[in-house]
Amino acid sequence: MSNGLERREFLKVLGVTGVGAGLTGCGTGGAEKLIPYVVPHEEIVPGVATWYRTTCRECPAGCGMNIRTREGRAVKAEGNPLSPISHGRLCARGQASLHGLYDPDRIPRPLARRGDADWDALTWDEAERRLADALQQNRGRTVLLTGNHTGTMDRLADEFAAAVGADRVRWEPFAYEPLRAASRMVYGIDAVPVHDFSNAEVVITFGADFLETWLSPIDYAHGFVQGRAYSQGRRGKLISVTPHQSLTDMNADEWVPARPGTEHLVALAIARLIVDGGAEAGQAAGLLAGVDVASAAERAGVSPERLRQIAADFTASGRSLAV
């Protein structure tokens, strides 16, 4: 300090130099702009999280979802406690939905194919104009491909297809047409039914992994917990008939390991035993008339005595469910 530089001045110079070096080291080398909220949105307060309610579309179940945002960006997904489907919870697919939102390979704008591999970027107005022209020119020769929507979304897709003269095609990676057909045959309703696990005292599942992937696992898991709860000296019972153990099978009271592809034979044999015990067969009388319980049990690798016990458990309570 012999040159007259005071200690306080030295610390000031050192601090400025350190900050400058840090900013230089963290820079990208190009000009950057920091734009603050000059006119902030009325729902956004910097530093305060804002929550929005929406519906999860990672699967057809449509669970209610709450999205936590910070400065206009979604940062966390949670179940909506007021939703009759999610009951405040989300499955792994719903929790991971933010990865799809911020996927670096996600297409950020409309594109038009040029040649075999090249794409031209379009504005939204240009893309909408091209789409409208294409629909008008190909009226009656257009297909609207959708997933398995229900409710309002399903009606909206039907109305849009009718308005533009398109044929709607539903594509489902997990086809539920057998469930639709069964509901149509038994109840006269062409729809996928909703099952009430909370009021079922005995549940038999034939390969329906309702605690993991089947139809609406969040809602069904919630109902299953309620049905299994100890109440008035009784608790629910789950019997699972599958060739290999899944998450649902590991939570079952009884696991019946049937040979692959024979679950339907076990179901028919149990139904035949229930009818033989005095139950009304209804529209299934013709189907069950030719069922041989002993032959079905042999092909499935399950003893007839065990099938009789399952049928007895199923009929012992007036509130049983088979899925």
Side-chain angles (χ1 to χ4, degrees), residues 149-276:
H149 300 313
T150 58
T152 303
M153 192 67 179
D154 188 63
R155 293 192 298 270
L156 177 61
D158 285 338
E159 293 173 0
F160 177 80
V164 299
D167 294 328
R168 184 185 175 194
V169 176
R170 295 178 177 86
W171 180 79
E172 298 176 287
F174 303 100
Y176 298 128
E177 289 307 314
L179 288 177
R180 292 179 180 272
S183 176
R184 185 170 58 250
M185 293 169 59
V186 178
Y187 304 109
I189 301 175
D190 186 14
V192 177
V194 177
H195 307 282
D196 187 1
F197 288 86
S198 62
N199 286 316
E201 296 186 10
V202 177
V203 177
I204 304 180
T205 167
F206 300 94
D209 191 10
F210 64 88
L211 292 182
E212 188 170 2
T213 60
W214 192 68
L215 290 180
S216 185
I218 299 298
D219 186 24
Y220 287 170
H222 181 268
F224 173 71
V225 170
Q226 291 182 319
R228 288 290 298 276
Y230 189 79
S231 176
Q232 298 180 357
R234 303 185 64 180
R235 62 189 298 269
K237 182 177 183 180
L238 172 61
I239 304 172
S240 180
V241 181
T242 55
H244 59 83
Q245 276 194 319
S246 64
L247 179 63
T248 303
D249 305 328
M250 288 186 287
N251 285 274
D253 298 280
E254 294 184 23
W255 175 47
V256 182
R259 292 192 178 99
T262 63
E263 298 92 334
H264 69 291
L265 298 177
V266 176
L268 290 173
I270 293 175
R272 176 60 189 269
L273 291 171
I274 293 174
V275 171
D276 291 343

Side-chain angles (χ1 to χ4, degrees), residues 47-178:
V48 179
T50 305
W51 292 81
Y52 296 93
R53 283 177 177 158
T54 183
T55 300
C56 180
R57 297 305 303 166
E58 293 298 309
C59 80
C63 291
M65 187 162 61
N66 288 346
I67 300 295
R68 178 174 176 262
T69 67
R70 287 290 299 271
E71 284 73 54
R73 293 177 61 86
V75 296
K76 189 68 175 73
E78 293 291 351
N80 183 359
L82 301 179
S83 170
I85 300 176
S86 64
H87 308 280
R89 296 169 176 82
L90 281 182
C91 70
R93 294 175 65 178
Q95 292 284 353
S97 58
L98 291 180
H99 291 279
L101 177 64
Y102 298 122
D103 191 335
D105 294 328
R106 181 176 179 178
I107 298 175
R109 59 184 304 174
L111 300 174
R113 183 183 293 276
R114 175 169 51 85
D116 295 333
D118 296 331
W119 296 85
D120 292 330
L122 304 177
T123 64
W124 285 104
D125 292 338
E126 175 65 15
E128 291 178 0
R129 186 188 62 79
R130 288 195 182 190
L131 177 60
D133 293 343
L135 290 175
Q136 185 65 30
Q137 296 173 6
N138 297 276
R139 192 173 185 86
R141 297 182 299 164
T142 305
V143 171
L144 176 63
L145 182 64
T146 68
N148 179 29
H149 300 313
T150 58
T152 303
M153 192 67 179
D154 188 63
R155 293 192 298 270
L156 177 61
D158 285 338
E159 293 173 0
F160 177 80
V164 299
D167 294 328
R168 184 185 175 194
V169 176
R170 295 178 177 86
W171 180 79
E172 298 176 287
F174 303 100
Y176 298 128
E177 289 307 314

Side-chain angles (χ1 to χ4, degrees), residues 26-48:
C26 297
T28 61
E32 298 182 4
K33 293 182 180 181
L34 182 62
I35 303 177
Y37 278 117
V38 179
V39 183
H41 194 278
E42 61 180 4
E43 295 182 356
I44 297 178
V45 178
V48 179

